[in-house]
Amino acid sequence: MEVEGARKNEAVISFGPEDLKEVNLSHNDALVIQARVVNYDILRVFVDSGSSANVVFKDAFMQMDSQGYHLEAVETALFGFAGHVVYPEWEIVLPLTLGSPDLKKTVMTFFTVVDSPSSYNTILGRQAMNELKAVASTYNQKIKFPVGARVRDVRGDQPSSRKCYVEAVRADQSETRREGKKLRVDEVRGRVLEKGEQELTWISPLISEHQLNILPGSHPVKQKKRHFGPENDKVIDEQVKDMLKAGHIREIQFPTWLSNVVLVPKSTGKWRMCVDFRELNKACPKNHYCNVPKI
């Protein structure tokens, strides 16, 4: 095939069985290479065709001598795949070189400097890929680009790629734990209990969420409304109001399962309000390791 506008003397880039000779199969590794930025050999360079920008992380950038290159402030935010927002520090045009001294290619390309923890030093996005006229293959663990009438390739570093992945997973788990602690402070609106107060006012579903495992073929049951007498109705009404205020329950208009409450006397002479879940219990698998009686 001939691409309109392409130079006829440009080399054809292709991948074949010979490109897999040094690849550790089977794998799901990202393409992580070594590149030269300014006059520094940079390890852990992530080739990411899904990124619109080239990124150099601030820790790596501060170790380079970028004198003679103009830094510009950046006001546009970067949006990650998961929707998170990163605000870059600067933008700078730097020379990027791939290949070896005998066959290499250098382009001047924009890098966005980001102050964010990362297991990578640099990310090469579509901008650098297009300027290099490069084609990347994660399966073959290579990036290829034309140098005149020849094709140069740079092989990925699979051990480094896997190490970066492990570090990223650990960092993500640590961040999740930190966020969990933050949620417990910010989103679980609890305080020191006073006599008669509810234990917690609200729990984020990100911290704890309960789901019912209903047996297939089970049909919802709506119990008939029970009457407990004026005195007990007053107790139920007060406890329901407390639970609504605390956010433990909420009103719904069209319930599928409907169970009555049950008042159980406490040793203090007061009442504990429970729910008659016998019909619901019948529709759920038995827990043979739990000896707690069901009401």
Side-chain angles (χ1 to χ4, degrees), residues 223 259-260 262 274-282 294-295:
Q223 296 179 354
S259 302
N260 282 283
V262 178
C274 303
V275 181
D276 182 5
F277 282 133
R278 287 178 294 182
E279 300 293 344
L280 183 58
N281 288 338
K282 292 177 183 177
K294 299 178 180 179
I295 298 177

Side-chain angles (χ1 to χ4, degrees), residues 71-291:
L71 278 172
E72 292 186 2
V74 180
E75 298 180 357
T76 304
L78 294 177
F79 293 87
F81 179 79
H84 62 278
V85 181
V86 176
Y87 293 94
E89 299 276 321
W90 311 290
E91 194 173 62
I92 187 171
V93 178
L94 296 174
L96 167 68
T97 302
L98 293 186
S100 57
D102 61 317
L103 191 63
K104 63 182 180 180
K105 189 171 188 177
T106 300
V107 295
M108 299 297 294
T109 187
F110 275 96
F111 282 93
T112 302
V113 182
V114 173
D115 186 8
S116 177
S118 174
S119 55
Y120 305 109
N121 291 316
T122 305
I123 296 177
L124 295 187
R126 293 192 299 272
Q127 184 171 10
M129 296 284 288
N130 291 340
E131 290 169 345
L132 288 164
K133 299 181 180 178
V135 179
S137 170
T138 56
Y139 176 69
N140 292 278
Q141 283 291 295
K142 274 187 179 181
I143 177 174
K144 293 187 178 185
F145 50 92
V147 182
R150 300 168 64 185
V151 173
R152 181 67 167 93
D153 63 61
V154 176
R155 180 171 294 281
D157 184 349
Q158 285 183 282
S160 179
S161 175
R162 293 174 184 182
K163 187 175 182 180
C164 289
Y165 176 77
V166 171
E167 290 179 4
V169 170
R170 288 174 178 171
D172 185 63
Q173 290 174 344
S174 299
E175 183 65 23
T176 300
R177 286 193 291 269
R178 286 195 295 269
E179 287 297 321
K181 293 178 182 178
K182 182 178 178 182
L183 287 171
R184 286 175 174 81
V185 175
D186 296 340
E187 296 193 23
V188 182
R189 300 188 293 256
R191 55 194 176 96
V192 178
L193 299 180
E194 297 178 3
K195 189 175 181 180
E197 287 190 325
Q198 298 291 328
E199 183 178 355
L200 290 173
T201 57
W202 181 72
I203 299 177
S204 169
L206 296 175
I207 295 175
S208 178
E209 187 174 30
H210 177 68
Q211 292 182 343
L212 293 173
N213 185 19
I214 305 297
L215 291 169
S218 299
H219 299 285
V221 176
K222 296 182 181 180
Q223 296 179 354
K224 293 182 180 180
K225 184 178 180 181
R226 297 175 189 166
H227 298 280
F228 300 91
E231 184 179 346
N232 288 346
D233 283 344
K234 183 179 179 181
V235 174
I236 294 172
D237 185 60
E238 289 176 353
Q239 293 201 27
V240 168
K241 287 181 179 178
D242 289 341
M243 295 177 72
L244 283 169
K245 184 178 179 180
H248 285 199
I249 61 174
R250 60 185 174 86
E251 183 180 0
I252 59 174
Q253 298 296 325
F254 305 102
T256 53
W257 289 89
L258 189 60
S259 302
N260 282 283
V261 297
V262 178
L263 288 179
V264 179
K266 299 169 67 174
S267 58
T268 59
K270 295 185 178 181
W271 294 98
R272 182 189 303 278
M273 188 178 72
C274 303
V275 181
D276 182 5
F277 282 133
R278 287 178 294 182
E279 300 293 344
L280 183 58
N281 288 338
K282 292 177 183 177
C284 295
K286 298 292 186 292
N287 185 353
H288 299 287
Y289 295 94
C290 181
N291 294 322

